[in-house]
Amino acid sequence: MTCFCGNREDFYGEVLLLDEKKITLTDERGIKKSSKVAAILQQVFSHLKVVEIEFFGLRFCDNKQQTHWLDPLKTISQHRDLVGPPYIFYFGVKFYAEAPSKLKEEVTRWQFYLQVRQDVRRGRLPCPAHLRPQLFALMLHVERGDDAGLEMSDSEEREEVQNIYKRFR
């Protein structure tokens, strides 16, 4: 009699990227539960065209919503707290460069920017209230350039961001 539970090696997962896009991982792409995490990282690096790989890693949330970094030298199944399928991994900066200006690749600097942007917006990286409007205006300018039509509510902070943003043009 055949079991309908599927193969124990079957794999389905997603990697959520810093730009809020995602990569779907399946056994058809060569990923299995017995695969090393390094194989997933290699697919992500290839997709993003990241060369300076030593700064990045993959995280996951366990049953208690605690975040853990995946060990690239271990297999997926060796991470005991991993919840799935589907397995959800988060690509992110694991180690920041001491001097980001010395990074060789623009792609690496862009991923650093996306990580900092995400951390500021989610409150994981504190930003003094008086600097927030200027920082958000700079982020808008980086992402939209000079001619972005801003649709913002009437909140005081958003109005201040809009005024600073207009000065960058």
Side-chain angles (χ1 to χ4, degrees):
M1 181 178 236
T2 308
C3 178
F4 292 105
C5 297
N7 185 342
R8 294 176 61 90
E9 275 295 303
D10 284 350
F11 183 84
Y12 180 81
E14 294 178 343
V15 177
L16 303 177
L17 304 173
L18 292 168
D19 63 2
E20 299 177 4
K21 295 177 184 167
K22 64 183 173 184
I23 299 172
T24 302
L25 304 167
T26 62
D27 48 341
E28 287 95 31
R29 292 189 75 178
I31 302 296
K32 299 181 180 336
K33 290 179 188 174
S34 60
S35 298
K36 298 248 184 210
V37 171
I40 296 174
L41 275 168
Q42 188 53 50
Q43 286 193 20
V44 173
F45 294 144
S46 176
H47 176 81
L48 295 172
K49 297 176 178 52
V50 171
V51 177
E52 296 170 286
I53 61 175
E54 62 273 14
F55 300 108
F56 303 99
L58 293 172
R59 293 174 290 136
F60 70 94
C61 288
D62 65 15
N63 293 358
K64 299 172 186 164
Q65 297 303 308
Q66 294 296 311
T67 303
H68 304 275
W69 288 100
L70 289 166
D71 182 343
L73 301 177
K74 289 185 177 180
T75 65
I76 296 164
S77 59
Q78 286 177 314
H79 290 86
R80 299 288 178 214
D81 294 333
L82 191 57
V83 179
Y87 300 96
I88 307 296
F89 306 116
Y90 303 90
F91 178 74
V93 175
K94 191 171 183 178
F95 303 106
Y96 283 96
E98 189 174 310
S101 62
K102 292 185 180 177
L103 292 170
K104 296 174 187 151
E105 300 288 325
E106 182 65 29
V107 173
T108 306
R109 287 190 291 274
W110 181 250
Q111 294 300 320
F112 273 52
Y113 163 74
L114 292 174
Q115 182 72 65
V116 170
R117 178 190 74 176
Q118 185 181 86
D119 289 348
V120 168
R121 287 182 175 169
R122 294 183 179 172
R124 289 189 300 246
L125 187 60
C127 179
H130 70 282
L131 293 178
R132 285 178 68 86
Q134 186 170 1
L135 185 59
F136 287 148
L138 285 168
M139 288 178 186
L140 275 174
H141 192 264
V142 165
E143 293 168 23
R144 298 183 182 179
D146 288 339
D147 52 17
L150 294 177
E151 295 177 18
M152 298 184 146
S153 67
D154 293 333
S155 79
E156 212 172 291
E157 184 177 58
R158 288 182 186 263
E159 208 171 296
E160 189 175 352
V161 168
Q162 190 172 13
N163 290 334
I164 294 170
Y165 175 77
K166 286 177 183 175
R167 281 188 265 153
F168 289 142
R169 292 183 182 178

